[in-house]
Amino acid sequence: GDSVTQTEGLVTLTEGLPVMLNCTYQTIYSNPFLFWYVQHLNESPRLLLKSFTDNKRTEHQGFHATLHKSSSSFHLQKSSAQLSDSALYYCALSGNNYAQGLTFGLGTRVSVFP
Amino acid sequence: AQTIHQWPVAEIKAVGSPLSLGCTIKGKSSPNLYWYWQATGGTLQQLFYSITVGQVESVVQLNLSASRPKDDQFILSTEKLLLSHSGFYLCAWSLEGGQNTLYFGAGTRLSVL
């Protein structure tokens, strides 16, 4: 079945530094959709950005990610982290059985310190 | 605009007691509906999904059941709660089709004591 791997459980960094969250996936579907969701404390997850186009950079709210089908990756990056970026970030995949919904990774908690 | 409403916002229940959580979507006809569970600080575990009234597919049951009695309503329930049921329950909807962006409700926080 489909799977998503996020290698970092926790990322801590100082405000103003760049951040990159890793995401790789497995699916037999040749045209998957990849998503990044963000969940702030005591809130529900909300969509940050998504893509299905190979090698095209997608940007939103200062974050960007590029889907690379050759390496099955969809890493999330931001050039300068802000305190408000502290949250839980989930990478998710819509693969072959799209009616079933998204397959989520385990999530990466980001803590940004002043 | 589509709105998704979950009820109750929070529950404190005793082990062995019954539970019913609800979710209503307005402004969208025949959405796909989903229940997810999140343990404190944990990942999002999909429980059930439904693509039409009266039909529910189980992904992971966890001694829970789900029903879709109306096009815009999704219910999660159990007759006997376990301590392990504690967590954050999220209802979500999406459009049909491969793009499948999920839109989550505000969630229900459940504490089983």
Side-chain angles (χ1 to χ4, degrees), chain B residues 26-97:
Chain B
K26 297 297 183 186
K28 182 61 191 170
S29 177
S30 301
N32 289 0
L33 297 177
Y34 306 85
W35 278 111
Y36 282 82
W37 172 72
Q38 184 180 41
T40 303
T43 193
L44 292 163
Q45 173 66 64
Q46 189 179 26
L47 300 175
F48 301 93
Y49 69 96
S50 171
I51 61 174
T52 191
V53 176
Q55 288 188 13
V56 176
E57 301 295 330
S58 171
V59 178
V60 175
Q61 280 194 315
L62 299 181
N63 293 305
L64 297 166
S65 61
S67 64
R68 187 170 178 175
K70 301 178 187 178
D71 185 55
D72 63 352
Q73 196 173 78
F74 207 18
I75 306 296
L76 183 70
S77 60
T78 183
E79 293 185 2
K80 269 190 171 183
L81 278 166
L82 307 172
L83 285 173
S84 57
H85 285 137
S86 293
F88 196 37
Y89 288 85
L90 291 155
C91 179
W93 71 271
S94 73
L95 299 172
E96 264 189 77

Side-chain angles (χ1 to χ4, degrees), chain A residues 35 37 39 90 98 100 105, chain B residues 38 42-43 46 99-102:
Chain A
F35 303 79
Y37 279 79
Q39 184 179 21
Y90 291 102
Y98 60 79
Q100 187 173 329
Chain B
Q38 184 180 41
T43 193
Q46 189 179 26
Q99 191 174 19
N100 217 19
T101 298
L102 284 186

Side-chain angles (χ1 to χ4, degrees), chain A residues 74-90:
Chain A
F74 191 56
H75 307 319
L76 182 69
Q77 298 182 68
K78 189 175 186 184
S79 58
S80 176
Q82 300 176 317
L83 295 176
S84 57
D85 293 330
S86 295
L88 197 49
Y89 292 80
Y90 291 102

